[in-house]
Amino acid sequence: MRFRDELWRAMDGIYRQILRHPFLEGLTDGSLPREAFRHYVMQEAHFLPDYARALAACAARAPHPQAVHRFAADSARTVEVEHSLVVELLAAFGLDEVEALKSPAAPTTVGYASYLVRTCSLGTFAEALGAIVPCYWIYARVGEKLLAESSPDPLYAWWIETYGGEDYQDTVAGVLDLLDDLSLSAEERERLLERAVTTARFEWMFWDAAWRQESWPCG
Ligand SMILES: Cc1ncc(C[n+]2csc(CCO)c2C)c(N)n1
């Protein structure tokens, strides 16, 4: 069995819960309230810069030049491509990024982004991979699944096409090949799987926070 299969097995139950979440069901049937999607996009504006930092830290820990290149390039890609998607989605709500960043990052965003930056900065390369790879892979699997259904709402259909599209799927395939080519020890694999389950849980929570339009409960 390839290590990627073991990794997916550890996350599969959470992935299924993600697919059943009303946020994602609402994306494909078009019933998702626009306010919930707006919340999601605003939180992405907060989240992505930290995601790019986590990828850069992962690149710094990578054991060979190809892996350094992969994560450093994806860090740049996060700032260029994903960031411009968020800017365009914000524009659909009549918002610019400066305005979006004025409203605070929600508790789940702070928790998830901090977890990624901390794990990638202070952990081993295997731990960094455990934190990072599920973000790629879950989005790719969600994108692929949702692409088959699309959405009657053009804004939601556009989001689905980005993550279900070939470019994104190829990026994720490259990361998974890299993962399988590493010769990780049993202990490294175990630590990686543990970090990955935490990330998968945060992925569910990120959508759930948008669905609830989460905000700070005090102050
Ligand atoms: C909450 C949240 N989780 C994962 C992604 C997906 N993602 C963002 S940047 C990047 C790296 C390469 O493009 C990946 C996989 C997202 N957008 N938002």
Side-chain angles (χ1 to χ4, degrees):
M1 183 164 71
R2 291 177 306 179
F3 182 56
R4 77 175 66 175
D5 300 321
E6 209 179 313
L7 171 58
W8 189 262
R9 206 164 55 183
M11 306 191 298
D12 191 55
I14 302 169
Y15 169 68
R16 286 175 198 288
Q17 283 176 264
I18 287 171
L19 287 184
R20 285 197 303 269
H21 194 282
F23 187 96
L24 291 188
E25 288 187 345
L27 269 179
T28 47
D29 68 18
S31 68
L32 179 69
R34 278 291 178 105
E35 299 74 47
F37 193 68
R38 181 176 182 273
H39 186 286
Y40 167 80
V41 176
M42 303 241 297
Q43 294 308 310
E44 283 277 276
H46 284 287
F47 175 79
L48 288 177
D50 274 343
Y51 195 88
R53 288 185 182 97
L55 285 168
C58 187
R61 269 158 186 66
H64 56 76
Q66 290 86 344
V68 175
H69 180 268
R70 153 64 56 197
F71 293 111
D74 283 352
S75 173
R77 179 195 145 109
T78 302
V79 176
E80 291 155 14
V81 181
E82 310 240 0
H83 177 256
S84 56
L85 171 73
V86 165
V87 168
E88 286 180 57
L89 289 172
L90 284 172
F93 290 101
L95 290 167
D96 68 24
E97 201 191 358
V98 177
E99 284 164 313
L101 293 176
K102 273 186 202 154
S103 68
T108 298
T109 309
V110 173
Y112 187 14
S114 305
Y115 167 71
L116 291 177
V117 173
R118 178 175 66 92
T119 306
C120 293
S121 304
L122 302 181
T124 61
F125 181 60
E127 288 168 330
L129 280 183
I132 285 293
V133 174
C135 314
Y136 285 91
W137 205 1
I138 290 175
Y139 260 56
R141 292 289 290 262
V142 164
E144 198 181 17
K145 175 85 175 49
L146 267 49
L147 193 65
E149 299 162 40
S150 193
S151 175
D153 185 317
L155 197 61
Y156 301 166
W158 181 31
W159 183 91
I160 291 169
E161 277 153 26
T162 302
Y163 289 105
E166 214 173 304
D167 263 13
Y168 188 71
Q169 296 290 327
D170 288 349
T171 302
V172 179
V175 172
L176 295 176
D177 287 343
L178 188 152
L179 180 73
D180 279 330
D181 287 344
L182 291 167
S183 28
L184 298 172
S185 67
E187 194 197 331
E188 284 172 322
R189 286 175 181 218
E190 200 180 312
R191 291 161 83 99
L192 189 155
L193 292 176
E194 192 192 312
R195 298 299 182 281
V197 168
T198 301
T199 294
R201 288 181 174 141
F202 268 125
E203 281 293 335
W204 183 93
M205 289 167 63
F206 199 88
W207 275 303
D208 189 62
W211 176 251
R212 292 183 287 112
Q213 297 180 54
E214 182 190 56
S215 60
W216 293 94
C218 55

